[in-house]
Amino acid sequence: MTERPYVVDEMISAKTIAARIEDLAREIDREYRDTDKLVVVGLLRGSFVFIADLVRELDLPVEVDFLEASSYGDAMQSSREVRILKDLRSPIEGRDVLVVEDIVDTGFTLHHVLKLLGSREPRKLRTIALLDKPARREVALKADWTGFEIPDEFVVGYGIDFAQRNRNLPFIGKVRFPEG
Ligand code: PRP
């Protein structure tokens, strides 16, 4: 699969992403202005670029933690089984928690993560996703904040991979196979 040649066409530019993140950060600042210290949880690995840019735009005291959940491995299709590969470092009971996801596709990953974190009794558990692909949804769920709604295209970049490649592209691109 990784050997098949493909090209990446830019879909959302780095500049457009940055502008959207500024707007989202202002909304989050407003929402949490009375919160003591917000726990921002990045879902590895895909969200590492988004969370880095998002927390630097926030004008709030934040704690940053990470959770690694995987449903795809190197495949293009969701396995529907979500595995927790790395848990949070700190307890979240009674805390305000914002889960940061790069993309919501079928929704299985976020659904599973919210169930897990919800069972730890945070004060408030909310979600932000940079991308939302509603056409692919299999679990009824929507992030509280979404950067961009996108069509059912295979996307890479800005943290998102294709077989572990292209995470370092500064924009969101669409994968295209020129030979059909
Ligand atoms: C990808 C992506 C989301 C999830 C979305 O993660 O980063 O976390 O899939 O898909 P879903 O809504 O269908 O569950 P992946 O399992 O590929 O791991 P990665 O973040 O390490 O790339």
Side-chain angles (χ1 to χ4, degrees), residues 11-59:
M11 191 181 186
I12 308 172
S13 71
K15 212 172 142 189
T16 304
I17 296 169
R20 182 71 185 120
I21 290 176
E22 273 184 37
D23 291 346
L24 290 167
R26 296 296 74 79
E27 287 182 36
I28 291 165
D29 279 344
R30 270 199 300 281
E31 176 73 19
Y32 294 102
R33 65 182 163 233
D34 298 325
T35 295
D36 181 31
K37 195 168 35 154
L38 176 67
V39 187
V40 183
V41 172
L43 296 195
L44 295 172
R45 287 171 272 180
S47 75
F48 78 104
V49 179
F50 180 34
I51 190 174
D53 282 348
L54 180 68
V55 293
R56 285 181 294 174
E57 279 300 328
L58 292 177
D59 195 16

Side-chain angles (χ1 to χ4, degrees), residues 69-71 78-84 107-110 112-113:
S70 182
S71 58
S78 170
S79 63
R80 291 176 175 71
E81 275 173 40
V82 181
R83 289 180 300 149
I84 299 297
F108 280 111
T109 304
L110 202 52
H112 186 89
V113 166

Side-chain angles (χ1 to χ4, degrees), residues 43-47 68-73 75 78 82 101-110 136 159-161 164 167:
L43 296 195
L44 295 172
R45 287 171 272 180
S47 75
E68 184 166 10
S70 182
S71 58
Y72 283 71
S78 170
V82 181
E101 178 62 298
D102 52 336
I103 183 165
V104 183
D105 196 326
T106 63
F108 280 111
T109 304
L110 202 52
R136 299 248 314 157
I160 302 173
D161 73 307
Q164 302 310 325
R167 289 194 199 271

